[in-house]
Amino acid sequence: MSDLYTLGAFLAAIVVLVLLIARFKVHPVATLFIVVVTLSLVLGIGGEGTIELVTTGFGSTLANVGLLIIFGCVLGKMLELSGAALKITETALRMFAEKRVPWAIALASVVLGIPLIADTAVVMLIPIVSALAYRTGISMMKLGPILYIGAYVMTSVVPPGPGPLASASLLDVSMGEAILYGLVVGLPGVFAATLYLSRIKTYVAPKPEFVEHLVSGSETVPGGTGTGAAGPGTGSAGTGSAADGAPGVGLFGSLVPILAPILLIVIAALAAPVLPEGSPVTSVILFVGEPTIALFLACLLALPLFRGRWHDKATLNDLFESGLRIAAMPMALTGVGGALATVIRDTGVAENIAAGIENAGLSPIIIPFLVAAAVCTITGSNILGVMTSAAIMQPLLPELDLAPLAVYLACATGAQIMKHANSSGFWVTTTLSNMTVGQGIRSIGVASAISGVTGFAVLYAMTTLGVI
């Protein structure tokens, strides 16, 4: 089988993958499975070999990351339903002067984007942001996209977001490094995108249903008490008990479940090389800092947020099942993505791609960035972008002599580019912010491209200087 045939089959598989998802709206999990099986058969693996490769790749990947995705999704649901997300947002708004409201929203969005999917953060908090827009006269074309972009970037670059979790697992990047360096490339991206959005001149008023209580004077405005617009938001989001829980939730208790697992994972990563091997202290630190244990402990730490309801069936059982439903699709995508990586590694595709990149004279670090950007832009999914790019690049690491961490960050920054009309997050933010499609592309689309390019520029500088 010629090298040209092998490379051509792989490129055709990627084209089919994108067409099935973007043009024919086939579910990504089914699409990935079809592509993986077909590619393996076309490359001569045979029926039995194909089944073995797919099941091995699927199983080994989920063994590494399955529980992480589950506990991450459960934690996000707990913070949403307990009112912790609202508390963090209200506190951030009180920390900034009125003219700095966009930056307060960006800060809250960044914090909430670590455990929450960006779409969820927008649906929950858009009533508060709309009320602020009404009071301050700031355009929703600024505030709505800023609310989205901070959470979107964090979901793309920092675990326990499902995309970063899967990508880090596929590339064998430690969670401590993924978190630390994800913040290093993610925060400048959020800053640059927020700076762009805050300078938009077009005025867009908030949706009337989010501010009619302010017009009639029947409710207080968030920023004074911080709870005035919580009602419509929780109703729209379907969060039910969030509004009931918000008044009794403290800031410290709200932040602990978010920050504790990050600190435990990072401490374990930093302490492991310097602590005496085999000592009781070392064993404890490494145990609680293991990502799966750290995220499960974070779920336990979130239970006090529900106060007297923490031991109810709705909290201990129903809420966990809600998290499992959210985790189902990322887990399936991750497993099939692992199968794709196995096929690429075991069929000789990796060597052909590496040779093509070398002959083209391209910098290898640009490839995962471009692949992730293409998948995200065409399919509308940053999760699919980061995971697909990681699955393609994982077998190429030895051939291209790239550090797994650098590839992880390239996938994560590329997968931010760019949000437009084929993305659920784009439609949620555009619709609830009262924007037209054109205004959404000018704000959300451009801002997501700016965040991704800025993050990649930081990464490229770090690789050039030898930091990574």
Side-chain angles (χ1 to χ4, degrees):
M1 192 174 299
S2 69
D3 293 345
L4 184 62
Y5 175 84
T6 302
L7 186 58
F10 170 75
L11 294 176
I14 299 301
V15 172
V16 171
L17 172 73
V18 171
L19 283 175
L20 286 177
I21 295 173
R23 176 68 179 84
F24 297 103
K25 310 302 179 186
V26 182
H27 194 281
V29 174
T31 300
L32 271 171
F33 182 78
I34 292 169
V35 168
V36 169
V37 171
T38 304
L39 181 62
S40 181
L41 292 173
V42 166
L43 293 178
I45 301 300
E48 290 186 11
T50 295
I51 294 172
E52 183 178 351
L53 274 181
V54 171
T55 54
T56 299
F58 186 92
S60 61
T61 302
L62 282 188
N64 291 329
V65 78
L67 286 174
L68 284 171
I69 294 176
I70 290 173
F71 293 146
C73 291
V74 170
L75 176 60
K77 200 67 180 175
M78 294 179 79
L79 295 172
E80 174 190 340
L81 296 183
S82 66
L86 289 173
K87 184 65 178 181
I88 292 169
T89 303
E90 293 161 359
T91 303
L93 293 172
R94 286 194 292 267
M95 289 170 56
F96 288 76
E98 189 170 287
K99 64 180 180 180
R100 301 293 183 188
V101 161
W103 296 100
I105 294 172
L107 174 62
S109 182
V110 163
V111 175
L112 296 175
I114 295 174
L116 292 179
I117 295 173
D119 301 30
T120 301
V122 171
V123 173
M124 283 182 61
L125 301 175
I126 200 70
I128 291 179
V129 171
S130 298
L132 282 165
Y134 176 81
R135 190 187 78 177
T136 61
I138 299 175
S139 173
M140 283 301 295
M141 194 171 169
K142 295 181 182 181
L143 299 188
I146 288 173
L147 172 62
Y148 176 74
I149 204 70
Y152 174 68
V153 172
M154 291 298 105
T155 301
S156 301
V157 301
V158 178
L165 270 178
S167 179
S169 175
L170 286 167
L171 297 169
D172 199 24
V173 175
S174 74
M175 290 299 153
E177 286 185 322
I179 291 169
L180 279 175
Y181 286 94
L183 291 172
V184 169
V185 301
L187 292 177
V190 174
F191 177 85
T194 302
L195 190 63
Y196 163 76
L197 290 168
S198 64
R199 294 174 182 271
I200 287 178
K201 303 297 184 184
T202 305
Y203 179 75
V204 174
K207 287 179 77 70
E209 55 263 42
F210 292 139
V211 297
E212 58 188 9
H213 59 292
L214 304 177
V215 177
S216 64
S218 61
E219 296 280 352
T220 54
V221 181
T225 62
T227 59
T234 53
S236 298
T239 55
S241 61
D244 299 331
V249 174
L251 177 64
F252 179 77
S254 300
L255 289 174
V256 164
I258 299 174
L259 299 181
I262 294 175
L263 290 175
L264 290 174
I265 293 169
V266 171
I267 289 172
L270 296 177
V274 298
L275 289 175
E277 188 174 346
S279 73
V281 173
T282 302
S283 298
V284 171
I285 290 176
L286 293 181
F287 177 74
V288 298
E290 200 281 324
T292 303
I293 300 298
L295 277 175
F296 182 70
L297 290 175
C299 293
L300 297 181
L301 290 171
L303 286 175
L305 295 171
F306 292 88
R307 296 169 292 165
R309 296 176 287 118
W310 74 267
H311 51 72
D312 293 350
K313 176 181 178 291
T315 303
L316 296 179
N317 184 280
D318 299 352
L319 190 150
F320 201 92
E321 289 199 0
S322 296
L324 283 174
R325 285 193 289 271
I326 297 171
M329 181 174 166
M331 285 178 62
L333 279 173
T334 302
V336 182
L340 176 61
T342 303
V343 170
I344 293 173
R345 184 176 59 248
D346 291 4
T347 55
V349 173
E351 292 81 357
N352 283 278
I353 297 174
I357 293 171
E358 185 176 351
N359 292 335
L362 297 173
S363 174
I365 196 61
I366 295 177
I367 303 303
F369 174 79
L370 293 178
V371 171
V375 173
C376 179
T377 300
I378 295 171
T379 66
S381 172
N382 61 320
I383 295 175
L384 188 61
V386 67
M387 288 195 299
T388 303
S389 182
I392 292 171
M393 295 304 299
Q394 187 267 340
L396 303 180
L397 295 179
E399 302 294 331
L400 297 177
D401 193 27
L402 286 172
L405 177 60
V407 173
Y408 164 78
L409 295 173
C411 295
T413 53
Q416 297 169 38
I417 301 173
M418 67 174 275
K419 304 305 281 185
H420 59 94
N422 63 352
S423 161
S424 62
F426 175 89
W427 283 112
V428 165
T429 308
T430 298
T431 303
L432 295 182
S433 298
N434 207 24
M435 295 189 293
T436 65
V437 173
Q439 290 168 339
I441 292 174
R442 281 174 51 206
S443 56
I444 302 165
V446 175
S448 63
I450 289 173
S451 67
V453 171
T454 301
F456 182 73
V458 173
L459 167 62
Y460 196 83
M462 288 193 294
T463 56
T464 303
L465 295 173
V467 176
I468 298 178

Coordinates of all heavy atoms in Angstrom, one line a residue, residues 152 156-157 163-164 166-168 170-171 185 365-376 381-394 397 402 404-417 452 456 459:
Y152 N -16.4 30.4 27.5 CA -16.1 29.6 26.3 C -14.6 29.3 26.2 O -14.2 28.2 25.9 CB -16.5 30.4 25.1 CG -16.1 29.8 23.7 CD1 -16.7 28.6 23.3 CD2 -15.2 30.4 22.9 CE1 -16.3 28.0 22.1 CE2 -14.8 29.9 21.7 CZ -15.4 28.7 21.3 OH -15.0 28.1 20.1
S156 N -12.6 25.7 26.7 CA -11.7 25.2 25.7 C -10.3 24.8 26.1 O -9.7 23.9 25.5 CB -11.6 26.2 24.5 OG -12.9 26.5 24.0
V157 N -9.8 25.4 27.2 CA -8.4 25.3 27.5 C -8.1 24.7 28.9 O -7.0 24.2 29.1 CB -7.6 26.6 27.4 CG1 -7.7 27.2 26.0 CG2 -8.1 27.6 28.4
G163 N -13.7 18.9 26.7 CA -12.7 18.9 25.6 C -11.3 18.9 26.1 O -10.5 18.0 25.7
P164 N -10.9 19.8 27.0 CA -9.5 19.7 27.6 C -9.2 18.4 28.3 O -8.1 17.9 28.2 CB -9.5 20.9 28.5 CG -10.5 21.9 28.0 CD -11.6 21.0 27.4
A166 N -10.4 15.4 27.7 CA -10.2 14.4 26.7 C -8.9 14.6 26.0 O -8.1 13.6 25.8 CB -11.4 14.4 25.7
S167 N -8.6 15.8 25.6 CA -7.4 16.1 24.9 C -6.1 15.8 25.7 O -5.2 15.2 25.2 CB -7.4 17.6 24.4 OG -6.2 18.0 23.8
A168 N -6.2 16.3 27.0 CA -5.0 16.0 27.9 C -4.8 14.5 28.1 O -3.7 14.0 28.1 CB -5.3 16.7 29.2
L170 N -5.7 12.1 25.9 CA -5.2 11.5 24.6 C -3.7 11.8 24.4 O -3.0 10.9 23.9 CB -6.0 12.0 23.5 CG -7.4 11.5 23.3 CD1 -8.2 12.4 22.3 CD2 -7.4 10.1 22.8
L171 N -3.3 12.9 24.9 CA -1.9 13.4 24.6 C -1.0 13.1 25.8 O 0.2 13.4 25.8 CB -1.9 14.9 24.3 CG -2.6 15.3 23.0 CD1 -2.7 16.8 23.0 CD2 -1.9 14.8 21.8
V185 N -2.3 30.5 28.6 CA -2.7 30.9 27.2 C -4.2 31.4 27.1 O -4.5 32.2 26.2 CB -2.5 29.7 26.2 CG1 -1.1 29.3 26.2 CG2 -3.4 28.6 26.5
I365 N 4.0 22.9 15.1 CA 3.1 23.4 16.1 C 1.9 24.1 15.5 O 0.8 24.2 16.1 CB 3.8 24.3 17.1 CG1 2.9 24.5 18.4 CG2 4.0 25.7 16.5 CD1 2.7 23.2 19.2
I366 N 2.0 24.5 14.3 CA 0.9 25.2 13.6 C -0.2 24.2 13.2 O -1.4 24.5 13.1 CB 1.3 26.0 12.4 CG1 2.3 27.1 12.9 CG2 0.2 26.5 11.6 CD1 2.9 28.0 11.7
I367 N 0.2 22.9 13.0 CA -0.7 21.9 12.4 C -1.9 21.6 13.4 O -3.1 21.7 12.9 CB 0.0 20.7 12.1 CG1 1.1 21.0 11.1 CG2 -0.9 19.6 11.5 CD1 0.7 21.6 9.8
P368 N -1.6 21.3 14.6 CA -2.8 21.0 15.5 C -3.7 22.3 15.7 O -4.9 22.1 15.8 CB -2.2 20.6 16.8 CG -0.8 21.1 16.8 CD -0.4 21.1 15.3
F369 N -3.1 23.4 15.7 CA -3.9 24.7 15.8 C -4.8 24.8 14.6 O -6.0 25.1 14.8 CB -2.9 25.9 15.9 CG -3.6 27.2 15.8 CD1 -4.2 27.7 16.9 CD2 -3.7 28.0 14.6 CE1 -4.9 29.0 16.9 CE2 -4.3 29.2 14.6 CZ -4.9 29.7 15.7
L370 N -4.3 24.6 13.4 CA -5.1 24.7 12.2 C -6.2 23.7 12.1 O -7.3 23.9 11.7 CB -4.2 24.7 10.9 CG -3.3 25.9 10.8 CD1 -2.4 25.7 9.5 CD2 -4.0 27.2 10.7
V371 N -5.8 22.4 12.5 CA -6.8 21.3 12.4 C -8.0 21.6 13.4 O -9.2 21.5 13.0 CB -6.1 20.0 12.8 CG1 -7.2 18.9 12.9 CG2 -5.1 19.6 11.7
A372 N -7.7 22.0 14.6 CA -8.7 22.3 15.6 C -9.6 23.5 15.1 O -10.8 23.5 15.3 CB -8.1 22.6 16.9
A373 N -8.9 24.5 14.6 CA -9.7 25.7 14.1 C -10.6 25.3 13.0 O -11.8 25.8 12.9 CB -8.7 26.8 13.6
A374 N -10.1 24.5 12.0 CA -11.0 24.1 10.9 C -12.2 23.2 11.4 O -13.3 23.5 11.0 CB -10.1 23.2 9.9
V375 N -11.9 22.3 12.3 CA -13.0 21.5 12.8 C -14.1 22.3 13.5 O -15.3 22.1 13.4 CB -12.5 20.3 13.7 CG1 -13.7 19.5 14.3 CG2 -11.6 19.4 12.8
C376 N -13.6 23.2 14.4 CA -14.5 24.0 15.2 C -15.3 25.0 14.3 O -16.5 25.1 14.4 CB -13.7 24.8 16.2 SG -14.8 25.9 17.2
S381 N -18.4 23.1 17.0 CA -18.1 22.5 18.3 C -16.7 22.7 18.7 O -15.8 22.1 18.0 CB -18.5 21.1 18.3 OG -18.1 20.5 19.5
N382 N -16.4 23.5 19.7 CA -15.0 23.5 20.2 C -14.6 22.2 20.9 O -13.4 21.9 20.8 CB -14.9 24.7 21.2 CG -15.8 24.6 22.4 OD1 -16.9 24.2 22.3 ND2 -15.3 25.0 23.6
I383 N -15.6 21.5 21.5 CA -15.2 20.2 22.1 C -14.8 19.3 21.1 O -13.8 18.6 21.2 CB -16.4 19.7 22.9 CG1 -16.8 20.6 24.1 CG2 -16.2 18.3 23.4 CD1 -18.0 20.2 24.8
L384 N -15.5 19.2 20.0 CA -15.1 18.3 18.9 C -13.8 18.7 18.3 O -13.0 17.9 17.9 CB -16.3 18.3 17.8 CG -16.1 17.2 16.7 CD1 -16.1 15.8 17.3 CD2 -17.2 17.4 15.7
G385 N -13.6 20.0 18.2 CA -12.4 20.6 17.6 C -11.2 20.2 18.4 O -10.2 19.7 17.8
V386 N -11.2 20.3 19.7 CA -10.0 20.0 20.5 C -9.8 18.5 20.5 O -8.6 18.1 20.5 CB -10.1 20.7 21.9 CG1 -11.2 20.0 22.7 CG2 -8.8 20.6 22.6
M387 N -10.8 17.7 20.6 CA -10.7 16.3 20.7 C -10.2 15.7 19.4 O -9.4 14.8 19.4 CB -12.0 15.6 21.2 CG -12.2 15.9 22.7 SD -13.5 14.8 23.4 CE -14.9 15.2 22.4
T388 N -10.8 16.1 18.3 CA -10.4 15.6 17.0 C -9.0 15.9 16.7 O -8.2 15.0 16.2 CB -11.3 16.1 15.9 OG1 -12.7 15.8 16.2 CG2 -11.0 15.5 14.6
S389 N -8.6 17.1 16.9 CA -7.2 17.5 16.7 C -6.2 16.7 17.5 O -5.2 16.3 17.1 CB -7.1 19.0 16.9 OG -5.8 19.5 16.6
A390 N -6.6 16.5 18.8 CA -5.7 15.8 19.7 C -5.6 14.3 19.2 O -4.5 13.7 19.3 CB -6.2 15.8 21.1
A391 N -6.7 13.7 18.8 CA -6.7 12.4 18.3 C -5.8 12.2 17.1 O -5.1 11.2 16.9 CB -8.1 11.9 18.1
I392 N -5.9 13.2 16.2 CA -5.1 13.1 15.0 C -3.6 13.3 15.3 O -2.7 12.7 14.7 CB -5.6 14.2 14.0 CG1 -6.9 13.8 13.5 CG2 -4.6 14.4 12.8 CD1 -7.6 14.9 12.6
M393 N -3.3 14.2 16.3 CA -1.9 14.6 16.5 C -1.2 13.6 17.5 O 0.0 13.5 17.4 CB -1.9 16.0 17.1 CG -2.3 17.1 16.2 SD -1.4 17.2 14.6 CE 0.3 17.4 15.3
Q394 N -1.9 12.9 18.3 CA -1.3 12.0 19.3 C -0.3 11.0 18.7 O 0.8 10.9 19.1 CB -2.4 11.3 20.1 CG -1.8 10.5 21.3 CD -1.6 9.1 21.0 OE1 -2.1 8.6 20.0 NE2 -0.7 8.4 21.7
L397 N 3.3 12.6 17.5 CA 4.2 13.3 18.5 C 5.6 12.8 18.3 O 6.6 13.7 18.2 CB 3.7 13.1 19.9 CG 2.4 13.7 20.3 CD1 2.0 13.4 21.8 CD2 2.5 15.2 20.1
L402 N 7.4 16.9 18.9 CA 6.6 17.9 19.6 C 6.3 17.5 21.0 O 6.1 16.4 21.3 CB 5.3 18.2 18.9 CG 5.3 19.0 17.6 CD1 3.9 19.0 16.9 CD2 5.8 20.4 17.8
P404 N 4.0 17.0 24.1 CA 2.6 16.8 24.2 C 1.9 18.1 24.8 O 0.8 18.4 24.4 CB 2.5 15.6 25.2 CG 3.8 14.9 25.0 CD 4.8 15.9 24.8
L405 N 2.5 18.8 25.7 CA 1.9 20.0 26.3 C 1.7 21.0 25.2 O 0.6 21.7 25.2 CB 2.7 20.5 27.5 CG 2.2 21.8 28.1 CD1 0.8 21.6 28.7 CD2 3.2 22.3 29.2
A406 N 2.7 21.2 24.4 CA 2.5 22.2 23.3 C 1.4 21.9 22.4 O 0.6 22.7 21.9 CB 3.9 22.3 22.6
V407 N 1.3 20.6 22.0 CA 0.2 20.2 21.1 C -1.1 20.3 21.8 O -2.1 20.8 21.2 CB 0.4 18.7 20.7 CG1 -0.8 18.2 19.9 CG2 1.7 18.5 19.9
Y408 N -1.2 20.0 23.1 CA -2.5 20.2 23.8 C -2.9 21.7 23.8 O -4.1 21.9 23.5 CB -2.2 19.8 25.3 CG -3.3 20.3 26.2 CD1 -4.6 19.6 26.3 CD2 -3.1 21.4 27.0 CE1 -5.5 20.1 27.1 CE2 -4.1 21.9 27.9 CZ -5.3 21.2 27.9 OH -6.3 21.7 28.8
L409 N -2.0 22.6 24.0 CA -2.3 24.0 24.0 C -2.7 24.5 22.6 O -3.5 25.4 22.4 CB -1.2 24.8 24.6 CG -0.9 24.5 26.1 CD1 0.4 25.3 26.5 CD2 -2.1 25.0 26.9
A410 N -2.0 24.0 21.6 CA -2.3 24.3 20.2 C -3.7 23.9 19.8 O -4.5 24.6 19.2 CB -1.3 23.7 19.3
C411 N -4.1 22.7 20.2 CA -5.4 22.2 20.0 C -6.5 23.0 20.7 O -7.5 23.4 20.1 CB -5.6 20.7 20.5 SG -4.6 19.5 19.6
A412 N -6.2 23.4 22.0 CA -7.1 24.1 22.8 C -7.3 25.6 22.3 O -8.5 26.1 22.3 CB -6.7 24.2 24.2
T413 N -6.3 26.2 21.8 CA -6.4 27.6 21.3 C -7.1 27.5 19.9 O -7.9 28.4 19.6 CB -5.1 28.3 21.2 OG1 -4.1 27.5 20.5 CG2 -4.5 28.5 22.6
G414 N -6.7 26.6 19.0 CA -7.3 26.5 17.7 C -8.8 26.2 17.8 O -9.6 26.7 17.0
A415 N -9.2 25.4 18.8 CA -10.6 25.0 18.9 C -11.5 26.1 19.3 O -12.7 25.9 19.4 CB -10.7 23.8 19.9
Q416 N -11.0 27.3 19.6 CA -11.8 28.5 19.9 C -12.3 29.2 18.6 O -13.2 30.0 18.7 CB -11.0 29.4 20.7 CG -10.6 28.9 22.1 CD -9.6 29.8 22.8 OE1 -9.7 31.0 22.8 NE2 -8.7 29.2 23.5
I417 N -11.7 28.9 17.5 CA -11.9 29.6 16.2 C -12.9 28.8 15.3 O -12.6 27.7 15.0 CB -10.6 29.8 15.5 CG1 -9.6 30.6 16.4 CG2 -10.8 30.5 14.2 CD1 -8.2 30.7 15.9
G452 N -8.6 32.9 20.3 CA -7.8 31.8 19.9 C -6.4 32.2 19.3 O -5.4 31.6 19.6
F456 N -2.8 31.3 20.9 CA -1.7 30.6 20.2 C -0.5 31.5 20.1 O 0.7 30.9 20.1 CB -2.2 30.3 18.8 CG -1.2 29.5 17.9 CD1 -1.0 28.2 18.2 CD2 -0.6 30.2 16.9 CE1 -0.1 27.5 17.5 CE2 0.4 29.5 16.2 CZ 0.6 28.1 16.4
L459 N 1.4 30.8 23.1 CA 2.0 29.5 23.0 C 3.2 29.5 22.1 O 4.3 29.0 22.5 CB 1.0 28.5 22.5 CG 1.5 27.2 22.1 CD1 2.2 26.4 23.2 CD2 0.4 26.3 21.4

